[in-house]
Amino acid sequence: MVCALGAAVCFGTATVLQAVAARAAAGGEGGSGGDAALLLRALRQWRYLAGLALDGLGFLLQIVALRSLPIYAVGAALASSLAVTAVAAARLLRVRLSGTEWAAVGVVCAGLAMLGLASGAEGHEDGTAALRWAMLAAALAVLALGAVAGRLPERGRALLLGLGAGFGFGVVEVTVRLVDSVSPAKLFANPAAYALVLGGGAAFLLLTSALQRGSVTTATAGMVLGETLGPAAVGVVWLGDRTRDGLAWLAVLGFAVAVAGALALARFGEAPAEGTTAAETPEAPVGGSR
């Protein structure tokens, strides 16, 4: 659980550091230009580079966590990165959190504490060949979903793109458990390896599109649901994830509480503008979260 929480801290902090760097790049001399020019200026900011490094460290910690914990526990912990972003934004960007949002941070922490008490070890099922191929099909479906969602009206588009991104990240969570060997011969013959790369790439693509073309809050809420519910079910049904004896009820409650708290903090899917409150949430993306 330490690695899962460490990944959440890395992802949540990276979002704010990248937001600070992106604003500095946009507001500095030579602030005009397209997205590519803005990215190049941001890459000269130490905070942006630090954020990228934290994203990389967070991904490594996520892999370690997924190899030792049930998927449902890791998924809920990763969703809690929104609470980290909220607290970091309050400190570094002087964002004013409402009382409800501070309560949501506490709810996330309480849910994770319950999960930590109730979670057992990761399941010992290796997953069938059919599941590996199903994950590859799911990754391809995420790309198809993005193509369909791009034609929808704004709110429906943001929700569906966010869900698609969540499904893509969920494919990554499951396939990490299905890649049982990194030897070239076995890796190239394993459909789960292709699903991992394709699902992760599709998720980033859809999430970026969702945040650029719709509501940040709606897109992030969809992503949280997509990356927690489905993978958790796959882990329990097909990979043997279980809880400690007699504590299944506490795990279910903790999972639900943590995800609900994350949904309440969905506006922090991208760090909000300086000094904003819950009633003044901006909808333009300023940084990255994964």
Side-chain angles (χ1 to χ4, degrees), residues 11 21 96 111 172 230:
F11 290 139
R96 295 189 297 276
V172 172

Side-chain angles (χ1 to χ4, degrees), residues 18-188:
Q18 290 165 355
V20 172
R23 289 195 188 102
E29 189 175 340
S32 60
D35 290 341
L38 177 60
L39 177 60
L40 288 174
R41 289 195 298 272
L43 285 170
R44 292 197 291 266
Q45 301 274 336
W46 70 266
R47 290 181 181 85
Y48 197 88
L49 296 176
L52 291 177
L54 284 173
D55 278 334
L57 177 59
F59 182 68
L60 292 176
L61 290 172
Q62 176 185 355
I63 291 176
V64 173
L66 286 166
R67 302 296 295 185
S68 58
L69 284 175
I71 293 175
Y72 63 79
V74 177
L78 293 179
S80 75
S81 66
L82 293 172
V84 176
T85 299
V87 173
R91 292 278 186 175
L92 299 179
L93 297 178
R94 295 185 292 278
V95 172
R96 295 189 297 276
L97 272 64
S98 68
T100 300
E101 287 170 335
W102 279 116
V105 171
V107 165
V108 168
C109 294
L112 291 176
M114 287 186 276
L115 271 175
L117 289 173
S119 296
E122 66 164 336
H124 298 297
E125 301 292 334
D126 293 330
T128 63
L131 180 59
R132 290 173 168 80
W133 284 106
M135 287 299 102
L136 181 55
L140 292 170
V142 169
L143 284 175
L145 183 64
V148 172
R151 299 185 176 89
L152 295 177
E154 180 180 326
R155 181 163 291 277
R157 180 174 64 232
L159 178 59
L160 199 56
L161 286 171
L163 275 172
F167 292 150
F169 288 127
V171 168
V172 172
E173 293 174 17
V174 174
T175 51
V176 165
R177 292 270 296 275
L178 298 177
V179 176
D180 49 10
S181 174
V182 293
S183 67
K186 291 186 176 180
L187 194 62
F188 290 132

Side-chain angles (χ1 to χ4, degrees), residues 151-262:
R151 299 185 176 89
L152 295 177
E154 180 180 326
R155 181 163 291 277
R157 180 174 64 232
L159 178 59
L160 199 56
L161 286 171
L163 275 172
F167 292 150
F169 288 127
V171 168
V172 172
E173 293 174 17
V174 174
T175 51
V176 165
R177 292 270 296 275
L178 298 177
V179 176
D180 49 10
S181 174
V182 293
S183 67
K186 291 186 176 180
L187 194 62
F188 290 132
N190 189 346
Y194 300 99
L196 191 156
V197 175
L198 185 59
F204 276 111
L205 179 65
L206 266 63
L207 182 59
T208 299
S209 179
L211 295 175
Q212 288 176 343
R213 301 171 61 191
S215 162
V216 169
T217 302
T218 302
T220 305
M223 183 190 71
V224 168
L225 291 174
E227 73 176 344
T228 54
L229 301 182
V234 171
V236 171
V237 176
W238 284 287
L239 296 178
D241 287 347
R242 294 292 182 267
T243 65
R244 294 182 181 177
D245 290 342
L247 292 180
W249 66 272
L250 185 60
V252 172
L253 179 61
F255 180 86
V257 167
V259 172

Side-chain angles (χ1 to χ4, degrees), residues 272-290:
E274 258 181 80
T276 58
T277 63
E280 301 170 323
T281 304
E283 298 297 352
V286 293
S289 58
R290 290 183 189 247

